[in-house]
Amino acid sequence: MSLTRAERTIIVSMWSKISTQTDAIGTETLERLFSCYPQAKTYFPHFDLHAGSAQLRAHGSKVVAAVGDAVKSIDNVASALSKLSELHAYVLRVDPVNFKFLSHCLLVTLASHFPADFTADAHAAWDKFLSIVSSVLTEKYR
Amino acid sequence: MLTAEEKAAVTGFWGKVNVDVVGAEALGRLLVVYPWTQRFFEHFGDLSTPDAVMGNPKVKAHGKRVLDAFSEGLKHLDDLKGAFAQLSELHCDKLHVDPENFKLLGNVLVVVLARHHGGEFTPVLQADFQKVVTGVANALAHRYH
């Protein structure tokens, strides 16, 4: 599965708006993840996950920044996320189902913050892009 | 499945939802984001581009119908399996729809609700709705054989 030129354009152009709010987007995405899919919390026993927590904010920023790295190298996501892919495979070992949960929560957050930009085309492009990101992050699992 | 408080939050919020518009948009987006779902709607005419899908009058009408049924289900949160028994049999025996599609549509619906309601569609409210769409999807799959 790879992105068409049109899909890449949509993602890169939306990213320029998203990148002005990475903290808010990241925090909200994780809040949604942990509210809707409490099993995801099992990977963070060492974190304070309450709304407003500094750790939640910091981690949310990190996650969105990584998505941003993928956007900036949209023609070669595997290369941009290679280190993160190894981290997830050998250290974090997050069950792959959680990437679907996180991707869904990011889409919900984007839809909520950018209702006009999040057209059906944009929804399709982002769903596909996050699916590619998820594949890259799990590709070294076995 | 849902506490009394969660049920109240869901039904209270649903009162503000424009079921016609949201239903049409949710079904349209399902067909655009997951194009293989078009397999059930070949008789709907032009589905060749996202604009064609979102503007297609049959898609809009059917989306409304689907969400009307969902709305009816929200009145029976204590017995979704009972409420959707006949529709479950229909989707299995006549329509031959893989129940995986109910999960896809449920999640698209959640995205559409977020798009229309912004900050009001909080993480906690989303969590309540995720439980509802999962319950509805399970109820629709329950009579499959």
Side-chain angles (χ1 to χ4, degrees):
Chain A
M1 182 171 43
S2 66
L3 297 169
T4 64
R5 182 157 293 149
E7 288 164 343
R8 275 176 247 186
T9 303
I10 288 171
I11 288 162
V12 168
S13 92
M14 255 189 85
W15 185 257
S16 64
K17 291 193 179 184
I18 295 167
S19 60
T20 63
Q21 300 180 37
T22 51
D23 270 23
I25 300 284
T27 306
E28 186 179 321
T29 296
L30 291 185
E31 280 174 0
R32 290 185 181 280
L33 177 70
F34 297 131
S35 288
C36 298
Y37 307 103
Q39 64 255 52
K41 294 194 280 190
T42 57
Y43 295 97
F44 299 93
H46 53 301
F47 265 31
D48 166 15
L49 294 176
H50 291 104
S53 127
Q55 283 180 310
L56 198 61
R57 198 164 47 251
H59 198 69
S61 284
K62 240 172 160 176
V63 168
V64 174
V67 173
D69 289 342
V71 174
K72 284 166 209 147
S73 298
I74 202 162
D75 294 328
N76 193 346
V77 172
S79 143
L81 298 186
S82 173
K83 284 262 138 52
L84 261 185
S85 179
E86 283 168 11
L87 182 72
H88 283 77
Y90 307 130
V91 180
L92 304 177
R93 293 171 289 184
V94 171
D95 189 285
V97 74
N98 294 284
F99 294 109
K100 290 195 178 181
F101 297 153
L102 179 64
S103 297
H104 173 63
C105 289
L106 179 53
L107 291 182
V108 171
T109 302
L110 293 182
S112 153
H113 282 251
F114 306 103
D117 298 281
F118 204 70
T119 59
D121 300 54
H123 183 167
W126 275 96
D127 191 290
K128 201 169 157 185
F129 175 65
L130 292 177
S131 180
I132 290 169
V133 169
S134 302
S135 282
V136 165
L137 290 176
T138 56
E139 98 197 322
K140 297 172 187 175
Y141 269 40
R142 56 176 169 173
Chain B
M1 189 187 48
L2 291 180
T3 64
E5 203 180 40
E6 288 166 342
K7 282 179 207 171
V10 165
T11 50
F13 177 78
W14 197 252
K16 305 178 200 182
V17 170
N18 184 329
V19 172
D20 289 2
V21 167
V22 168
E25 188 175 327
L27 184 65
R29 282 176 183 253
L30 179 76
L31 299 176
V32 169
V33 179
Y34 309 108
W36 54 93
T37 59
Q38 293 174 20
R39 70 189 298 285
F40 302 108
F41 302 104
E42 273 158 10
H43 53 296
F44 270 21
D46 188 8
L47 300 177
S48 58
T49 66
D51 282 345
V53 171
M54 301 311 287
N56 185 309
K58 288 187 175 177
V59 170
K60 289 183 188 179
H62 197 68
K64 170 178 157 34
R65 208 160 153 207
V66 168
L67 214 64
D68 281 342
F70 182 88
S71 283
E72 197 47 44
L74 288 186
K75 299 174 189 166
H76 305 277
L77 288 170
D78 288 330
D79 181 26
L80 288 173
K81 291 187 164 84
F84 286 102
Q86 284 187 307
L87 272 176
S88 179
E89 285 173 8
L90 179 77
H91 281 77
C92 173
D93 298 333
K94 296 270 153 38
L95 305 177
H96 311 292
V97 174
D98 181 341
E100 192 60 30
N101 292 283
F102 308 140
K103 296 182 196 172
L104 289 180
L105 182 58
N107 279 336
V108 170
L109 175 60
V110 165
V111 171
V112 173
L113 290 175
R115 198 179 87 81
H116 282 258
H117 297 273
E120 210 190 331
F121 195 64
T122 61
V124 170
L125 188 57
Q126 182 193 344
D128 296 342
F129 266 92
Q130 297 288 168
K131 289 182 191 171
V132 173
V133 300
T134 298
V136 171
N138 289 341
L140 281 170
H142 189 68
R143 294 283 187 126
Y144 272 58
H145 58 98

